[in-house]
Amino acid sequence: MAVRVPGTASGAGFALYLCAGLLPWAAFSECILRGAYPFIENAPYLKKLPIPEQVFVAQNAVAATVFPAS
């Protein structure tokens, strides 16, 4: 990359700086997008079993973190 971070001699500093913000944002965005659907997908379980709703949201958040969409 042609853009340089002040105080560094190589272009790798900007790539590291860019990834430091972009990767956490992508993970957060994926968790939010996946977190909208567990109530619809697991409606039969929520109606019949005494399971807290947070379990399904946490399951999708962990799945989004471990297995990101490609």
Side-chain angles (χ1 to χ4, degrees):
M1 299 187 156
V3 180
R4 304 226 187 274
V5 175
T8 62
S10 69
F14 181 73
L16 182 64
Y17 178 76
L18 182 68
C19 289
L22 191 61
L23 295 177
W25 174 255
F28 173 74
S29 175
E30 184 71 22
C31 287
I32 294 298
L33 288 174
R34 284 191 182 189
Y37 297 106
F39 301 115
I40 297 168
E41 293 172 352
N42 298 307
Y45 301 120
L46 290 169
K47 289 178 184 175
K48 294 181 182 178
L49 299 174
I51 299 174
E53 295 85 7
Q54 294 85 0
V55 171
F56 297 110
V57 176
Q59 175 191 5
N60 280 353
V62 170
T65 305
V66 176
F67 305 109
S70 42

